[in-house]
Coordinates of all heavy atoms in Angstrom, one line a residue:
N129 N -8.1 21.7 -12.5 CA -8.7 22.9 -12.9 C -9.9 22.7 -13.8 O -10.4 23.6 -14.4 CB -7.7 23.8 -13.6 CG -6.7 24.4 -12.6 OD1 -7.0 24.9 -11.6 ND2 -5.4 24.3 -13.0
L130 N -10.4 21.4 -13.9 CA -11.6 21.2 -14.6 C -12.7 20.9 -13.6 O -12.4 20.4 -12.5 CB -11.4 19.9 -15.5 CG -10.4 20.1 -16.6 CD1 -10.1 18.7 -17.3 CD2 -10.9 21.1 -17.6
P131 N -13.9 21.2 -13.9 CA -15.0 21.0 -12.9 C -15.5 19.6 -12.8 O -15.4 18.8 -13.8 CB -16.1 21.9 -13.5 CG -15.9 21.9 -14.9 CD -14.4 21.9 -15.1
V132 N -16.0 19.2 -11.6 CA -16.6 17.9 -11.4 C -17.7 17.8 -12.5 O -18.4 18.8 -12.7 CB -17.1 17.7 -10.0 CG1 -18.1 16.6 -9.9 CG2 -16.0 17.6 -9.0
G133 N -17.9 16.7 -13.1 CA -18.9 16.5 -14.2 C -18.3 16.6 -15.6 O -19.0 16.2 -16.5
T134 N -17.0 17.0 -15.6 CA -16.3 17.0 -16.9 C -16.3 15.5 -17.4 O -16.0 14.6 -16.7 CB -14.9 17.5 -16.8 OG1 -14.9 18.8 -16.3 CG2 -14.1 17.4 -18.1
R135 N -16.5 15.4 -18.7 CA -16.5 14.0 -19.4 C -15.4 13.9 -20.4 O -15.0 14.9 -21.0 CB -17.9 13.8 -20.1 CG -19.0 13.6 -19.1 CD -20.3 13.3 -19.8 NE -21.3 13.1 -18.8 CZ -22.5 12.5 -19.0 NH1 -22.8 12.3 -20.3 NH2 -23.4 12.3 -18.1
F136 N -14.8 12.7 -20.4 CA -13.7 12.4 -21.3 C -14.1 11.1 -22.1 O -14.6 10.2 -21.6 CB -12.4 12.1 -20.5 CG -11.9 13.2 -19.8 CD1 -12.3 13.4 -18.4 CD2 -11.1 14.2 -20.3 CE1 -11.8 14.4 -17.7 CE2 -10.6 15.2 -19.6 CZ -11.0 15.4 -18.3
S137 N -13.7 11.1 -23.4 CA -13.9 9.9 -24.2 C -12.5 9.4 -24.6 O -11.6 10.2 -24.8 CB -14.8 10.2 -25.4 OG -14.1 11.1 -26.3
C138 N -12.5 8.1 -24.7 CA -11.2 7.4 -25.1 C -11.7 6.2 -25.9 O -12.2 5.3 -25.3 CB -10.4 7.0 -23.9 SG -8.8 6.3 -24.4
G139 N -11.6 6.3 -27.2 CA -12.2 5.2 -28.0 C -13.7 5.1 -27.7 O -14.4 6.1 -27.8
D140 N -14.2 4.0 -27.4 CA -15.6 3.8 -27.1 C -16.0 4.2 -25.7 O -17.1 4.4 -25.4 CB -16.0 2.3 -27.4 CG -16.0 1.9 -28.9 OD1 -16.1 2.8 -29.7 OD2 -15.7 0.7 -29.1
A141 N -15.0 4.3 -24.9 CA -15.2 4.5 -23.4 C -15.5 6.0 -23.1 O -15.1 6.9 -23.8 CB -14.0 4.1 -22.6
L142 N -16.4 6.2 -22.1 CA -16.7 7.5 -21.6 C -16.6 7.6 -20.1 O -17.2 6.7 -19.4 CB -18.2 7.8 -22.1 CG -18.7 9.2 -21.7 CD1 -17.9 10.3 -22.5 CD2 -20.2 9.3 -22.1
L143 N -15.9 8.5 -19.6 CA -15.6 8.7 -18.2 C -16.2 10.1 -17.8 O -16.3 11.0 -18.6 CB -14.2 8.8 -17.9 CG -13.3 7.5 -18.2 CD1 -11.8 7.8 -18.0 CD2 -13.8 6.3 -17.4
E144 N -16.7 10.1 -16.5 CA -17.2 11.4 -16.0 C -16.5 11.7 -14.6 O -16.5 10.8 -13.8 CB -18.7 11.4 -15.7 CG -19.2 12.7 -15.2 CD -20.7 12.8 -15.1 OE1 -21.3 12.4 -14.1 OE2 -21.3 13.2 -16.1
M145 N -15.8 12.8 -14.5 CA -15.1 13.2 -13.4 C -16.1 13.4 -12.2 O -17.0 14.2 -12.3 CB -14.3 14.5 -13.6 CG -13.1 14.6 -12.7 SD -11.9 15.8 -13.4 CE -12.6 17.3 -12.8
T146 N -15.8 12.8 -11.0 CA -16.7 12.9 -9.9 C -16.1 13.5 -8.6 O -16.8 13.9 -7.7 CB -17.1 11.4 -9.5 OG1 -16.0 10.6 -9.2 CG2 -18.0 10.8 -10.6
Q147 N -14.8 13.6 -8.6 CA -14.1 14.1 -7.4 C -12.7 14.6 -7.8 O -12.1 14.0 -8.6 CB -14.0 13.0 -6.3 CG -13.4 13.5 -5.0 CD -13.4 12.3 -4.0 OE1 -14.3 11.5 -4.0 NE2 -12.4 12.3 -3.2
I148 N -12.4 15.7 -7.1 CA -11.0 16.3 -7.3 C -10.3 16.1 -6.0 O -10.8 16.6 -4.9 CB -11.1 17.8 -7.7 CG1 -11.8 18.0 -9.0 CG2 -9.7 18.4 -7.8 CD1 -12.2 19.4 -9.4
G149 N -9.2 15.5 -6.0 CA -8.4 15.2 -4.8 C -9.0 14.2 -3.9 O -10.1 13.8 -4.1
K150 N -8.3 14.0 -2.8 CA -8.8 13.0 -1.8 C -8.0 13.2 -0.6 O -6.8 13.5 -0.6 CB -8.7 11.6 -2.4 CG -7.7 10.7 -1.9 CD -7.7 9.4 -2.7 CE -7.5 8.1 -1.9 NZ -6.5 8.0 -0.9
E151 N -8.7 13.0 0.6 CA -7.9 13.1 1.8 C -7.0 12.0 2.0 O -7.2 10.9 1.7 CB -9.0 13.1 3.0 CG -8.4 13.4 4.3 CD -9.5 13.5 5.4 OE1 -10.7 13.6 5.1 OE2 -9.1 13.4 6.6
C152 N -5.8 12.3 2.5 CA -4.8 11.3 2.8 C -4.8 11.0 4.3 O -4.4 11.7 5.1 CB -3.4 11.8 2.4 SG -2.1 10.6 2.4
H153 N -5.4 9.8 4.6 CA -5.5 9.4 6.0 C -4.2 9.0 6.7 O -3.9 9.4 7.7 CB -6.6 8.3 6.2 CG -7.9 8.7 5.7 ND1 -8.7 9.6 6.4 CD2 -8.6 8.4 4.5 CE1 -9.9 9.8 5.7 NE2 -9.8 9.1 4.6
S154 N -3.5 8.1 6.0 CA -2.2 7.7 6.6 C -1.2 8.0 5.5 O -1.3 7.5 4.4 CB -2.2 6.2 6.9 OG -2.6 5.5 5.8
H155 N -0.2 8.8 5.8 CA 0.7 9.2 4.8 C 1.4 8.1 4.1 O 1.9 7.2 4.8 CB 1.8 10.2 5.4 CG 1.2 11.5 5.8 ND1 0.5 12.3 4.9 CD2 1.1 12.2 7.0 CE1 0.1 13.4 5.5 NE2 0.5 13.3 6.8
C156 N 1.5 8.1 2.8 CA 2.1 7.1 1.9 C 3.6 7.1 2.0 O 4.2 8.1 2.6 CB 1.6 7.2 0.5 SG 2.2 8.7 -0.3
E157 N 4.2 6.1 1.4 CA 5.7 6.1 1.4 C 6.3 7.3 0.7 O 7.4 7.8 1.0 CB 6.2 4.8 0.7 CG 5.9 3.6 1.5 CD 6.5 3.7 2.9 OE1 7.7 4.0 3.0 OE2 5.8 3.4 3.9
I158 N 5.6 7.8 -0.4 CA 6.1 9.0 -1.1 C 6.1 10.2 -0.2 O 7.1 10.9 -0.1 CB 5.2 9.3 -2.3 CG1 5.4 8.1 -3.4 CG2 5.6 10.6 -3.0 CD1 4.4 8.2 -4.5
F159 N 5.1 10.4 0.6 CA 5.0 11.5 1.5 C 6.1 11.4 2.6 O 6.8 12.4 2.9 CB 3.6 11.6 2.3 CG 3.5 12.8 3.1 CD1 2.9 14.0 2.6 CD2 3.9 12.8 4.5 CE1 2.8 15.1 3.4 CE2 3.8 13.9 5.3 CZ 3.2 15.0 4.8
K160 N 6.3 10.2 3.1 CA 7.4 10.0 4.1 C 8.8 10.3 3.6 O 9.6 10.8 4.3 CB 7.3 8.5 4.6 CG 6.0 8.3 5.5 CD 5.8 6.8 5.8 CE 4.5 6.6 6.5 NZ 4.2 5.2 6.6
R161 N 9.0 10.0 2.3 CA 10.3 10.2 1.7 C 10.5 11.7 1.2 O 11.5 12.2 1.4 CB 10.5 9.3 0.4 CG 11.2 8.1 0.7 CD 11.7 7.4 -0.6 NE 11.2 7.7 -1.9 CZ 10.3 7.0 -2.6 NH1 9.9 5.8 -2.2 NH2 9.9 7.4 -3.8
M162 N 9.4 12.3 0.7 CA 9.5 13.6 0.0 C 8.9 14.7 0.8 O 9.1 15.9 0.5 CB 8.9 13.6 -1.4 CG 9.5 12.6 -2.3 SD 11.2 13.0 -2.8 CE 10.8 14.6 -3.7
G163 N 8.1 14.4 1.8 CA 7.4 15.4 2.6 C 6.1 15.9 2.0 O 5.5 16.9 2.5
E164 N 5.8 15.4 0.9 CA 4.5 15.7 0.2 C 4.2 14.7 -0.8 O 5.0 13.8 -1.1 CB 4.6 17.1 -0.6 CG 5.6 17.0 -1.8 CD 5.5 18.3 -2.7 OE1 4.4 18.9 -2.8 OE2 6.5 18.7 -3.1
C165 N 2.9 14.7 -1.2 CA 2.4 13.7 -2.2 C 1.4 14.5 -3.1 O 0.6 15.3 -2.5 CB 1.7 12.6 -1.5 SG 0.9 11.4 -2.7
I166 N 1.4 14.4 -4.3 CA 0.6 15.2 -5.2 C -0.8 14.6 -5.4 O -1.8 15.3 -5.8 CB 1.2 15.4 -6.6 CG1 1.5 14.1 -7.3 CG2 2.5 16.3 -6.4 CD1 2.0 14.3 -8.8
M167 N -1.0 13.3 -5.1 CA -2.3 12.7 -5.4 C -3.5 13.4 -4.6 O -4.5 13.6 -5.2 CB -2.3 11.2 -5.1 CG -3.5 10.5 -5.6 SD -3.6 10.6 -7.4 CE -5.1 9.5 -7.7

């Protein structure tokens, strides 16, 4: 629920969010077991 471009600091480090979600090309083991994956 945060926009791309949001920045986070942790100590000296600084991160910038570049992407929300990602396409799942081959379903992972979690998807195979649970029928869904949250990543």
